[in-house]
Amino acid sequence: MDNILNKSEISTNERFRDLIEGLNVISYEFDLTQKCFRYVSRKAESILGYDKNEWFTKGFWYDHLYHEDKEWAILFSKHHIELCKDHEYEYRMIAIDGSIKWFKDIVSITLENGKPKSLYGVMIDLTERKIMEKELLESKERYKTLVEQQSEMITRWKPDGTFTYVNDVYCKYFDKSRNELIGKKYIPQMPVEDLERFSRFFASLNKENRIGHFTHRIIKPDGDIRWLRWTDTVILDDNGEIFEYQTVGRDVTARKRAEAALKKSEQQFQMIFDNAPIGMSLTDMSKNYIKVNKAYCDIVGYSKKELANMTYEDITHPEDISKDLDVMQQSKNGTQTHFHYEKRYIHKNGKIIYADLRVNILRDYTGKTFQRISQLVDITEKIEAELKLKQTQARLAAILNNLPNVAIYEYGENVNFVTENIFDILGYTSEEFMNDPQLFSSLMNEEEIKIYDNNVAEWKKSGAKGVLSNEIQVKAKNNKIVWIEDHMFLAAPENNKPYYSGIMIDITEQKKTRLKVLETETKLSAIIKNLPKVVIYQSGAGTDFISENIFEMTGYLPSEILTEKYFFGKIIHPDDLMKVKQGIKQWHKCFDDDVLILEFRIRKSDGSYIWIEDHMFRVRIDENNSYLSGILIDVTDRKIAEEKINKSLKEKELLLKEIHHRVKNNLQVVSSLLKLQSSYVNDEESLDQLIDCQNRVKSMALVHQKLYQSKDFSDIDFKEYIIQLTNYLLNVFNSNKNMIKIYINAENINLSIDKAIPCGLILNELISNSLKYAFPDGRRGEINVVISNLNNGYFELYISDNGIGFPDKINFKQTHSLGLQLVNTLVEQIDGSISMESINGTSYRIKFEN
């Protein structure tokens, strides 16, 4: 089908060109870049006499302009091209026989990327008309006949405003007769501001500025406001003085209203775009951002200014880039213009954002794709909730299938079900219970049945709301008594009849345990009394308690502490009080999850201070009731020991810092010796090798420098390291910073010395290669260095340039280059992987564990 359409289009273009070739005009295409004609019709030869090939030479048009018209014609054409406005004008050219030809040139401008690219025009031979013009001007009647045939309004008037001529179109438009207008002055009713503009415009017309264009409004008798567009021409007499003015005008109200409607539509679109609650972006087909709204920035975490210098691929999850490439391909193929899919983005803070994305492809009047508008909805919470739901369902299924002490049941009209693990509790199979509805009641004693039936009846009477819970004694098949905790509720599914469902839990062991707990609590109380450095307490829900050995720890009696509210708040050291309050406040914000551990000093009754380690946790009795419990441990002796240890650690840190400093200095000496040695080497290859060695030593020295300058001697800020290393390499290779730019995009990543030194050497080798070989003969270029945390236990180091690329016939993993051999060895050393691409330059991608 595409072939048929292309042939049809070609055939149409050929017929159109044949039609143009048959007209008595010169049609042409002029290339603004090459400053020459690319096409002229056959009439070019017959009208001016020059061979068509001469037309295609650069400067042909200017060289053959009549000398009096060269300056103004060039300025006129240049002015309209700069404004990207179609235009027409008249000028003279010199034919091959030396005669002068008049032409009216009607020009249309084509744009590429918003800039003028070519001129398409028609040159109409006006020579004969110009010869006759004087005669036509003298023949008023013939002039009138010509004018009356026009669809535009045409008038002529004296400098004082008196009409000398009006055509029928003008008369009909203003509902006036010629007698009412000829020899009189008439100005239609206009808004005051338009009248003032008209006065200024009229004053601007003179002998030098003979032609002008003016647009204004008029108010019709019925109140309708219309827009008129006039072309005013100054007519000079034989002495060169202004004799009359001629105006040609038309009603452009429809166009003005269309422009106003378009502007309003654009404003409405902009308002919707800017204030939309969902993210919206406008991008070009090179993936660059043109416009984004605030909601989009909020979703991805980048500002509008930052996104203006990025592509949407920069923030796309690597695994989803293929989705965008598929959309791009389908767009270019014309198979689809609307797309809807889910996609992941990388937030500025590194978090993965899940988005529901709708993309619409915009095409120009030729059908070519040029922009895409995207609507983005953040569905991260939904995706994460679905994932949590699946995990919860999986956990629930696993729990239910592996809890021998729990059974689930359902009963009602058309519903009868008991889980198989009822056998583990009572010794009866689920089939026995489902076949005999009275079996469970028969296992209960009469008193239990009465209490249970009464509770169920009251629950149903109140509307069976919530969960009905009972503890029941049941006789198992082996005649042993089993305690059951029964939780029953009413299930009311849509479009189905309600039924009862519940969970039976074997709590026999719990009942036995309670007796043991009472015994254990008695023993625990005796133990606590004899632990002078460990105190147990409870607070809230009527459980206020503190063990008696608090007296031995602090000198305060339990009764003193329990009777006075906020007692501990008064004896906590003033320097620790705010820290304790903030810790408890933050713990409450997290819904009192986990155990809160605080360290602080308290004042004993004798005025001295001791260090306390408080382990606080919340005990939940049920959904609405809970209390605080905890353990207070006297850690004063440990704190004294820690102070001694910290002092010793500071001494060791100082020693380690000095070691890194001396290693850095020694490496600097080696680097200086290599630099000194290089000044005695005349062989360029040997000199390059010495410089490479010096750079390698410098990259290692820089790691040790960063280590002794950092507070933490275990790792370094690798982003700052990259900046210093690249600046050093630019200076070493005498690179003009205006010719070669190095762009660094690094997250705040710290690397240990075991990773930092190999990565530093790898960076040194690959950036040095780019600086030495990627940009020969002083060509411009850029090098990009990116290091990022992939959030899967790996880091990625990406180095690329847009230079001449890596030789196709060389395998970078099996090269004789010492630098690349070193790179591959170092990648293996850090248990990483390396890949290389040579597309629009050279790029290396190295992944290694963090």
Side-chain angles (χ1 to χ4, degrees):
M1 176 61 74
D2 289 339
N3 290 334
I4 295 172
L5 291 173
N6 289 335
K7 289 179 180 179
S8 175
E9 183 178 350
I10 293 170
S11 177
T12 301
N13 290 337
E14 288 175 351
R15 289 198 301 271
F16 178 74
R17 182 161 287 186
D18 288 339
L19 177 63
I20 291 296
E21 294 284 1
L23 297 175
N24 190 29
V25 296
I26 301 174
S27 60
Y28 65 87
E29 178 185 355
F30 189 85
D31 190 325
L32 290 171
T33 303
Q34 302 297 325
K35 307 292 186 184
C36 64
F37 289 94
R38 288 197 300 191
Y39 161 77
V40 291
S41 59
R42 289 193 297 266
K43 288 295 182 180
E45 291 182 347
S46 61
I47 293 176
L48 283 175
Y50 298 104
D51 186 87
K52 282 179 68 172
N53 290 329
E54 291 186 63
W55 282 76
F56 301 141
T57 59
K58 190 172 183 179
F60 174 84
W61 181 74
Y62 178 81
D63 293 340
H64 293 84
L65 277 174
Y66 187 59
H67 66 91
E68 290 183 0
D69 294 345
K70 278 187 176 183
E71 182 176 354
W72 75 263
I74 289 293
L75 291 174
F76 182 87
S77 177
K78 182 179 180 181
H79 172 73
H80 285 79
I81 291 171
E82 289 174 350
L83 295 177
C84 300
K85 290 179 60 176
D86 297 344
H87 54 282
E88 59 183 67
Y89 57 124
E90 296 178 4
Y91 53 80
R92 291 165 287 184
M93 293 187 71
I94 302 173
I96 195 169
D97 60 2
S99 61
I100 297 172
K101 296 283 188 178
W102 274 93
F103 290 97
K104 180 175 182 178
D105 198 349
I106 302 172
V107 185
S108 177
I109 301 174
T110 61
L111 307 177
E112 183 174 271
N113 297 325
K115 295 182 178 180
K117 178 185 178 184
S118 302
L119 303 179
Y120 289 86
V122 176
M123 295 169 58
I124 304 172
D125 186 357
L126 302 179
T127 307
E128 292 184 5
R129 199 192 79 183
K130 284 292 182 179
I131 294 172
M132 296 173 60
E133 223 169 39
K134 191 172 183 180
E135 297 176 8
L136 290 173
L137 288 173
E138 294 172 353
S139 176
K140 186 175 181 180
E141 193 61 35
R142 291 170 64 190
Y143 171 76
K144 286 182 180 180
T145 303
L146 176 65
V147 168
E148 292 299 338
Q149 293 175 350
Q150 303 299 314
S151 60
E152 288 86 357
M153 294 178 282
I154 301 175
T155 69
R156 292 184 67 166
W157 37 279
K158 295 290 185 182
D160 64 356
T162 303
F163 283 108
T164 59
Y165 173 79
V166 292
N167 68 349
D168 287 340
V169 178
Y170 186 91
C171 293
K172 290 178 181 178
Y173 189 85
F174 290 103
D175 196 23
K176 300 283 185 182
S177 67
R178 277 193 172 88
N179 292 333
E180 291 179 279
L181 296 171
I182 301 298
K184 299 180 180 65
K185 299 177 182 179
Y186 172 69
I187 298 177
Q189 185 179 356
M190 288 189 282
V192 175
E193 58 269 27
D194 288 13
L195 196 58
E196 292 174 352
R197 287 193 305 108
F198 175 73
S199 298
R200 291 194 296 271
F201 166 74
F202 177 68
S204 69
L205 295 175
N206 51 49
K207 290 186 287 184
E208 287 73 30
N209 181 32
R210 295 177 57 188
I211 300 175
H213 303 280
F214 182 71
T215 303
H216 67 89
R217 294 164 294 175
I218 64 165
I219 303 173
K220 301 281 277 185
D222 60 1
D224 185 24
I225 296 177
R226 310 292 295 180
W227 283 89
L228 300 180
R229 172 73 172 173
W230 298 95
T231 298
D232 290 56
T233 305
V234 172
I235 300 173
L236 305 178
D237 60 17
D238 294 339
N239 297 320
E241 298 298 327
I242 297 177
F243 172 67
E244 280 186 340
Y245 297 92
Q246 177 176 285
T247 59
V248 178
R250 64 175 59 190
D251 188 319
V252 293
T253 305
R255 190 189 75 189
K256 281 289 184 178
R257 289 175 177 171
E259 290 173 353
L262 176 61
K263 184 177 181 181
K264 182 179 179 181
S265 175
E266 290 175 345
Q267 289 173 341
Q268 290 174 338
F269 169 78
Q270 188 64 45
M271 183 176 67
I272 293 171
F273 185 93
D274 291 338
N275 298 290
I278 62 174
M280 297 187 71
S281 70
L282 186 66
T283 55
D284 60 24
M285 301 312 289
S286 297
K287 308 173 186 176
N288 299 302
Y289 286 103
I290 299 173
K291 183 187 297 184
V292 294
N293 69 350
K294 182 179 182 300
Y296 192 96
C297 295
D298 292 340
I299 292 172
V300 301
Y302 291 92
S303 66
K304 292 182 180 180
K305 186 176 181 181
E306 289 174 317
L307 290 173
N309 298 313
M310 301 171 69
T311 68
Y312 58 77
E313 192 172 279
D314 293 337
I315 61 173
T316 297
H317 192 286
E319 295 177 5
D320 289 350
I321 290 177
S322 59
K323 294 182 180 180
D324 287 327
L325 293 177
D326 184 53
V327 168
M328 183 76 73
Q329 189 60 45
Q330 290 188 56
S331 310
K332 290 181 178 178
N333 294 342
T335 56
Q336 195 172 342
T337 57
H338 304 285
F339 302 89
H340 183 199
Y341 55 102
E342 289 185 3
K343 172 183 168 182
R344 290 168 291 176
Y345 290 86
I346 305 298
H347 192 276
K348 187 177 180 180
N349 61 14
K351 181 182 177 184
I352 295 177
I353 302 297
Y354 292 86
D356 181 83
L357 184 63
R358 294 178 184 270
V359 177
N360 291 307
I361 304 301
L362 306 181
R363 301 180 184 275
D364 60 19
Y365 69 96
T366 65
K368 181 181 178 182
T369 59
F370 74 103
Q371 285 179 353
R372 53 180 260 167
I373 186 166
S374 303
Q375 296 175 315
L376 191 72
V377 177
D378 187 350
I379 58 171
T380 305
E381 291 185 2
K382 172 191 165 188
I383 295 295
E384 291 177 348
E386 289 175 351
L387 179 61
K388 288 180 180 178
L389 178 60
K390 290 179 181 177
Q391 293 171 343
T392 301
Q393 290 173 336
R395 286 197 295 268
L396 181 60
I399 290 170
L400 293 177
N401 291 329
N402 293 281
L403 284 179
N405 293 331
V406 176
I408 297 175
Y409 63 87
E410 295 175 347
Y411 74 90
E413 190 176 345
N414 301 324
V415 177
N416 186 20
F417 169 76
V418 182
T419 56
E420 293 180 358
N421 47 3
I422 190 66
F423 178 82
D424 299 325
I425 299 174
L426 297 176
Y428 296 95
T429 64
S430 58
E431 287 79 7
E432 289 180 276
F433 278 101
M434 288 187 285
N435 293 332
D436 183 3
Q438 302 301 319
L439 176 60
F440 190 80
S441 298
S442 68
L443 302 177
M444 299 169 60
N445 62 50
E446 292 184 3
E447 289 297 324
E448 290 282 344
I449 291 175
K450 288 179 182 179
I451 295 172
Y452 180 79
D453 287 346
N454 183 62
N455 290 340
V456 172
E458 290 294 327
W459 178 62
K460 290 182 178 179
K461 187 177 179 181
S462 63
K465 296 179 180 178
V467 177
L468 174 65
S469 299
N470 289 286
E471 287 188 3
I472 312 165
Q473 293 185 73
V474 183
K475 184 184 292 186
K477 199 168 189 176
N478 58 8
N479 291 322
K480 290 184 178 181
I481 298 299
V482 177
W483 278 93
I484 297 293
E485 186 176 274
D486 179 36
H487 300 276
M488 181 169 62
F489 60 92
L490 178 64
E494 292 184 9
N495 303 322
N496 281 301
K497 293 182 178 180
Y499 61 91
Y500 297 99
S501 181
I503 299 174
M504 290 189 294
I505 305 171
D506 182 357
I507 60 170
T508 307
E509 292 301 322
Q510 295 177 26
K511 285 287 185 179
K512 293 178 181 179
T513 302
R514 287 177 187 175
L515 293 174
K516 294 181 180 179
V517 168
L518 289 174
E519 181 184 352
T520 302
E521 286 178 347
T522 303
K523 293 179 180 179
L524 180 62
S525 178
I527 292 171
I528 290 171
K529 289 179 181 179
N530 295 283
L531 288 176
K533 292 201 173 186
V534 178
V535 173
I536 296 176
Y537 65 89
Q538 293 178 352
S539 176
T543 63
D544 290 355
F545 163 80
I546 192 163
S547 58
E548 293 180 1
N549 55 352
I550 187 66
F551 179 76
E552 296 179 30
M553 180 186 289
T554 66
Y556 301 106
L557 293 171
S559 57
E560 292 181 77
I561 297 171
L562 295 175
T563 55
E564 186 175 349
K565 195 173 183 180
Y566 305 126
F567 180 86
F568 272 94
K570 296 178 180 179
I571 65 173
I572 293 176
H573 195 288
D575 293 344
D576 298 341
L577 185 58
M578 185 56 68
K579 178 182 69 175
V580 171
K581 288 182 177 180
Q582 289 177 347
I584 295 173
K585 183 179 179 181
Q586 187 62 35
W587 185 57
H588 288 327
K589 283 185 178 179
C590 298
F591 306 104
D592 304 350
D593 286 340
D594 300 327
V595 178
L596 174 63
I597 301 176
L598 296 170
E599 288 186 357
F600 52 88
R601 291 164 289 181
I602 62 171
R603 186 180 67 252
K604 295 174 63 176
S605 61
D606 62 5
S608 63
Y609 282 92
I610 60 172
W611 275 96
I612 294 296
E613 184 176 277
D614 183 6
H615 295 252
M616 184 190 303
F617 55 92
R618 183 170 293 280
V619 179
R620 301 191 185 277
I621 302 171
D622 52 40
E623 292 182 359
N624 301 315
N625 298 291
S626 65
Y627 62 87
L628 295 178
S629 185
I631 300 173
L632 300 176
I633 305 172
D634 184 348
V635 294
T636 305
D637 293 340
R638 191 192 77 193
K639 280 293 185 178
I640 294 171
E642 284 178 355
E643 288 180 4
K644 293 179 180 179
I645 292 171
N646 288 335
K647 184 177 179 181
S648 175
L649 282 175
K650 287 181 180 178
E651 293 173 354
K652 289 179 173 60
E653 286 178 357
L654 184 61
L655 179 61
L656 186 59
K657 184 174 184 179
E658 181 62 23
I659 290 172
H660 281 302
H661 196 176
R662 293 195 179 189
V663 171
K664 176 257 179 183
N665 288 343
N666 289 339
L667 289 172
Q668 190 65 47
V669 170
V670 174
S671 177
S672 299
L673 289 173
L674 289 171
K675 184 175 182 181
L676 182 62
Q677 182 64 41
S678 65
S679 63
Y680 294 96
V681 175
N682 296 324
D683 178 32
E684 186 173 345
E685 182 178 351
S686 299
L687 180 60
D688 286 343
Q689 293 175 352
L690 282 173
I691 291 174
D692 289 343
C693 291
Q694 182 184 351
N695 292 344
R696 291 163 188 152
V697 171
K698 179 66 177 180
S699 68
M700 292 187 290
L702 188 56
V703 172
H704 287 281
Q705 177 182 334
K706 299 299 292 181
L707 280 170
Y708 81 72
Q709 288 177 346
S710 68
K711 294 180 180 178
D712 185 354
F713 299 112
S714 62
D715 52 36
I716 67 169
D717 182 346
F718 204 64
K719 177 180 179 180
E720 189 64 30
Y721 172 83
I722 294 173
I723 293 171
Q724 292 188 19
L725 179 62
T726 53
N727 287 336
Y728 167 76
L729 292 175
L730 278 173
N731 291 329
V732 166
F733 291 102
N734 298 318
S735 298
N736 187 337
K737 293 184 179 180
N738 294 323
M739 299 297 291
I740 299 177
K741 299 285 188 180
I742 297 183
Y743 297 97
I744 299 170
N745 183 2
E747 299 178 13
N748 293 325
I749 291 174
N750 290 342
L751 294 183
S752 67
I753 187 172
D754 293 337
K755 301 288 187 183
I757 289 179
C759 288
L761 287 169
I762 290 169
L763 277 172
N764 173 73
E765 295 302 325
L766 297 181
I767 295 174
S768 296
N769 281 351
S770 294
L771 290 170
K772 289 194 292 185
Y773 307 120
F775 309 105
D777 303 324
R779 64 183 286 178
R780 292 180 180 272
E782 63 181 48
I783 300 172
N784 285 279
V785 181
V786 180
I787 184 166
S788 54
N789 189 342
L790 299 181
N791 295 323
N792 59 358
Y794 283 83
F795 290 129
E796 181 179 84
L797 182 61
Y798 180 76
I799 305 101
S800 67
D801 63 61
N802 61 351
I804 60 174
F806 197 84
D808 294 335
K809 297 182 179 180
I810 298 178
N811 185 342
F812 80 99
K813 289 190 176 181
Q814 297 178 356
T815 178
H816 296 296
S817 166
L818 175 61
L820 289 177
Q821 289 178 6
L822 180 60
V823 168
N824 285 294
T825 301
L826 290 169
V827 171
E828 291 178 3
Q829 180 180 324
I830 60 176
D831 297 326
S833 63
I834 181 171
S835 61
M836 187 270 286
E837 289 185 354
S838 185
I839 301 173
N840 297 325
T842 305
S843 63
Y844 297 89
R845 194 179 300 276
I846 301 157
K847 294 183 179 179
F848 58 94
E849 292 187 19
N850 58 20

